[in-house]
């Protein structure tokens, strides 16, 4: 399954004792968890405990070279190119700062970045939630109240502290919610942010095979990667996804309805059976468009070829054209794989097949097209042409979904 990536920032408050329980909640829910602590936080909960529970190294300091041997025993890891602060802010789906001290909150709203956690917060691209926890009097302090308001104005999500008994022995507002509640609120917020929530998406992927006899077929080198990336991206953005794939060596998250087909006709039937109620249809499959006119039910014997073997071909059904012409309430994107006159051919295909937009790629481009992890494409709709430079297929998948949503 494509796991949700949760980054937790732990700061130096008493409520840090609840974080091991929170980490367990996320791990039980099959999330991937990474943790950054402030130097003050390690006085309240050990990095070792959090590292064991999260199954990941815990990051604390920028400058590992200055560490003593004792620090290493605390599982303080070296910051190198792999653990550079921006990486985690790009990696995470959501970043939860819990507990969030007055000190860290006040530094964030003033742009201070003098530890690894602050630097990661200020450079992160994912949504960030703060769960402030402090003594009642600190909470009521006008400066802290102002700073918490500023957090929200700046676009951060704040989970207000609850009222109850506080570690200081006082009663008042300042308690961090219990781990099960914090877990629930984080997941709910993550779901809210998904822009394909409630949408139904159909994706086709991979090649199809057309058989000459039971053991011989014609096909193409499509690996299915592009379609699987589109399906996984749509699923991670909250969509209910059906993925119809020809023969490939890939797996998909179990929540994706993966339907395996072999021939073009099987793909056509499967598409037709699953088209109703879809909001977005993305046809990435490299459908075999010719089939032997007379395929043999029994294996052809080598001797019968007599050194020369001729096959007559006919066209298979054009799935993309068929559904484009019978389009209902969905947006439809197709792919054009062209070696020559790409733009011209793609435009013709866009019009003829009644697509909302088409993704043009060229198998002769280096690191693009069949079997690669990257692609270089053009998005063409009736008004615009957009050049997308070389990117990972996952990045292109997200751009395709962005484009469909905008349309
Ligand atoms: C026993 C103890 C408990 C503390 N609890 C809190 C707390 O709940 N909330 C808070 O904002 N600060 C608390 N502090 C103060 C922070 O630890 C202190 O401001 C520290 O500089 C925070 O650093 P950090 O934000 O980089 O983690 C506590 C300090 C001590 C000694």
């Amino acid at each position: 399954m494509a796991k949700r990536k949760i980054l937790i920032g732990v700061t130096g408050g008493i409520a840090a004792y609840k974080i091991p329980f929170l980490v367990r909640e996320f791990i039980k829910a099959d999330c991937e968890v990474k943790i950054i602590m402030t130097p003050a936080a390690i006085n309240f909960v050990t990095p070792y405990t959090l590292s064991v529970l999260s199954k990941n190294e815990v990051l604390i300091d920028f400058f590992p070279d200055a560490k003593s041997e004792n620090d290493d025993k605390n599982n303080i890891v070296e910051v190198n190119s792999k653990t550079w602060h921006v990486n985690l802010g790009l990696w995470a789906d959501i970043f939860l700062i819990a507990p969030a001290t007055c000190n860290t909150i006040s530094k964030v709203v003033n742009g201070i970045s003098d530890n690894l956690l602050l630097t990661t917060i200020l450079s992160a691209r994912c949504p960030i939630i703060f769960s402030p926890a402090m003594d009642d009097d600190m909470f009521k302090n006008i400066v802290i109240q102002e700073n918490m308001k500023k957090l929200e104005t700046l676009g951060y999500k704040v989970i207000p502290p609850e009222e109850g008994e506080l570690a200081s022995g006082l009663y008042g507002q300042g308690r961090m919610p219990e781990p099960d509640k914090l877990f629930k609120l984080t997941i709910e917020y993550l779901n809210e942010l998904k822009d394909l929530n409630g949408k139904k998406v159909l994706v086709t992927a991979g090649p199809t095979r057309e058989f000459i006899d039971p053991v011989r077929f014609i096909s193409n080198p499509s690996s299915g990667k592009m379609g699987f990336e589109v399906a996984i991206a749509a699923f991670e953005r909250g969509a209910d996804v059906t993925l119809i794939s020809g023969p490939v060596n890939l797996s998909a998250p179990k929540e994706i309805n993966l339907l395996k087909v072999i021939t073009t006709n099987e793909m056509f039937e499967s598409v037709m059976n699953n088209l109703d109620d879809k909001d977005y249809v993305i046809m990435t499959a490299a459908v075999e468009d010719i089939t032997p006119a007379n395929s043999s039910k029994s294996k052809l014997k080598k001797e019968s070829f007599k050194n020369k073997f001729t096959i007559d071909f006919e066209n298979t059904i054009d799935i993309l054209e068929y559904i484009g012409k019978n389009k209902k309430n969905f947006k439809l994107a197709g792919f054009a794989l062209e070696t020559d006159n790409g733009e011209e051919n793609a435009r013709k295909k866009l019009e003829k097949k009644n697509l909302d937009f088409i993704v043009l790629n060229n198998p002769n481009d280096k690191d693009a097209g069949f079997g690669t992890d990257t692609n270089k494409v053009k998005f063409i709709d009736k008004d615009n042409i957009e050049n997308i430079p070389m990117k990972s297929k996952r990045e292109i998948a997200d751009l395709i979904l962005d484009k469909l949503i905008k349309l």
Side-chain angles (χ1 to χ4, degrees):
M1 168 179 166
K3 295 185 174 197
R4 287 167 164 172
K5 301 184 203 88
I6 315 286
L7 180 58
I8 305 179
V10 185
T11 69
I14 278 287
Y17 81 89
K18 297 180 181 176
I19 300 305
F21 297 94
L22 176 66
V23 172
R24 287 194 63 209
E25 295 276 345
F26 284 121
I27 295 289
K28 271 195 282 175
D30 211 19
C31 299
E32 206 177 329
V33 179
K34 293 192 181 179
I35 298 171
I36 305 177
M37 300 176 80
T38 61
I42 63 173
N43 294 299
F44 297 88
V45 59
T46 72
Y48 189 77
T49 303
L50 293 179
S51 171
V52 170
L53 292 174
S54 67
K55 305 176 185 174
N56 269 313
E57 292 164 327
V58 170
L59 301 182
I60 300 164
D61 262 354
F62 283 125
F63 306 115
D65 292 343
K67 293 280 144 230
S68 69
E69 274 182 40
N70 280 346
D71 285 332
D72 288 341
K73 283 188 194 136
N74 282 339
N75 202 21
I76 292 173
V77 281
E78 289 199 2
V79 177
N80 54 32
S81 57
K82 277 192 201 143
T83 55
W84 183 237
H85 63 274
V86 287
N87 289 353
L88 285 176
L90 296 180
W91 168 84
D93 292 326
I94 198 142
F95 193 0
L96 171 66
I97 318 300
T101 54
C102 298
N103 179 56
T104 291
I105 291 169
S106 305
K107 284 182 172 179
V108 169
V109 298
N110 286 293
I112 296 171
S113 54
D114 61 359
N115 65 37
L116 182 62
L117 177 62
L118 289 164
T119 312
T120 310
I121 292 172
L122 292 172
S123 61
R125 287 202 200 151
C126 61
I128 303 182
I129 307 179
F130 282 83
S131 180
M134 61 205 69
D135 194 58
D136 181 59
D137 293 312
M138 274 175 119
F139 178 72
K140 284 185 191 141
N141 182 293
I142 179 92
V143 180
I144 302 305
Q145 282 293 325
E146 281 301 312
N147 287 348
M148 278 193 293
K149 265 188 232 148
K150 265 191 217 161
L151 274 183
E152 285 181 307
T153 319
L154 292 167
Y156 298 110
K157 167 102 174 157
V158 177
I159 297 175
E162 295 179 344
E163 204 176 296
E165 203 178 307
L166 303 168
S168 58
L170 296 171
Y171 186 93
Q173 194 167 2
R175 278 173 69 93
M176 188 179 83
E178 292 305 311
D180 56 340
K181 186 164 175 193
L182 213 47
F183 163 77
K184 197 166 153 266
L185 291 171
T186 308
I187 296 292
E188 273 171 14
Y189 186 53
L190 199 51
N191 288 340
E192 258 172 47
L193 292 167
K194 297 192 166 189
D195 56 359
L196 285 172
N197 249 344
K199 298 290 180 199
K200 291 188 178 350
V201 173
L202 175 69
V203 184
T204 65
T208 57
R209 291 177 181 172
E210 292 302 314
F211 286 82
I212 297 163
D213 71 10
V215 297
R216 299 180 178 90
F217 59 82
I218 58 160
S219 190
N220 60 66
S222 168
S223 64
K225 278 184 191 160
M226 192 65 245
F228 273 64
E229 291 293 3
V230 172
I232 292 169
F235 161 68
E236 288 181 357
R237 290 167 69 159
D240 177 349
V241 181
T242 299
L243 171 61
I244 301 173
S245 176
V248 295
N249 272 325
L250 298 170
S251 57
K254 64 180 186 310
E255 290 83 353
I256 290 180
N257 179 24
L258 174 62
L259 304 170
K260 296 180 181 171
V261 297
I262 295 177
T263 66
T264 301
N265 259 342
E266 285 171 12
M267 184 168 279
F268 174 67
E269 272 168 36
S270 189
V271 168
M272 294 315 289
N273 290 338
N274 288 282
L275 206 52
D276 278 353
D277 77 2
K278 293 295 178 284
D279 299 288
Y280 301 108
V281 177
I282 304 122
M283 307 283 281
T284 78
V287 177
E288 201 45 69
D289 51 7
I290 52 172
T291 187
N294 299 300
S295 90
S296 170
K297 292 254 179 311
S298 22
K299 186 186 167 194
L300 297 170
K301 300 301 287 174
K302 194 166 77 177
E303 300 74 45
S304 69
F305 300 165
K306 293 190 186 110
N307 294 330
K308 194 172 172 208
F309 186 58
T310 313
I311 310 175
D312 288 330
F313 288 105
E314 56 191 28
N315 284 116
T316 55
I317 181 150
D318 190 326
I319 305 176
L320 191 55
E321 184 170 328
Y322 187 92
I323 64 169
K325 287 188 172 158
N326 296 285
K327 195 157 60 166
K328 296 185 188 149
N329 290 327
F330 51 81
K331 294 281 173 215
L332 177 61
F335 270 66
L337 192 67
E338 302 285 346
T339 49
D340 305 295
N341 303 326
E343 280 182 31
E344 195 188 323
N345 289 333
R347 276 192 191 287
K348 278 189 199 153
K349 199 168 170 184
L350 178 82
E351 205 172 311
K352 184 167 175 233
K353 303 192 179 190
N354 193 26
L355 311 180
D356 292 292
F357 89 100
I358 193 156
V359 182
L360 169 65
N361 56 356
N362 182 341
N364 292 339
D365 278 346
K366 196 175 169 294
D367 297 326
F370 286 138
T372 58
D373 290 326
T374 51
N375 212 351
K376 193 172 123 196
V377 299
K378 290 179 184 183
F379 287 172
I380 302 176
D381 63 28
K382 67 179 184 355
D383 305 315
N384 290 308
I385 177 155
E386 206 181 324
N387 280 304
I388 312 290
M390 186 74 73
K391 287 191 184 294
S392 70
K393 285 188 171 170
R394 171 55 198 253
E395 285 173 299
I396 292 182
D398 274 311
L399 291 173
I400 291 170
L401 295 170
D402 291 346
K403 171 105 181 157
L404 279 171
I405 292 169
K406 256 189 235 149
L407 284 169

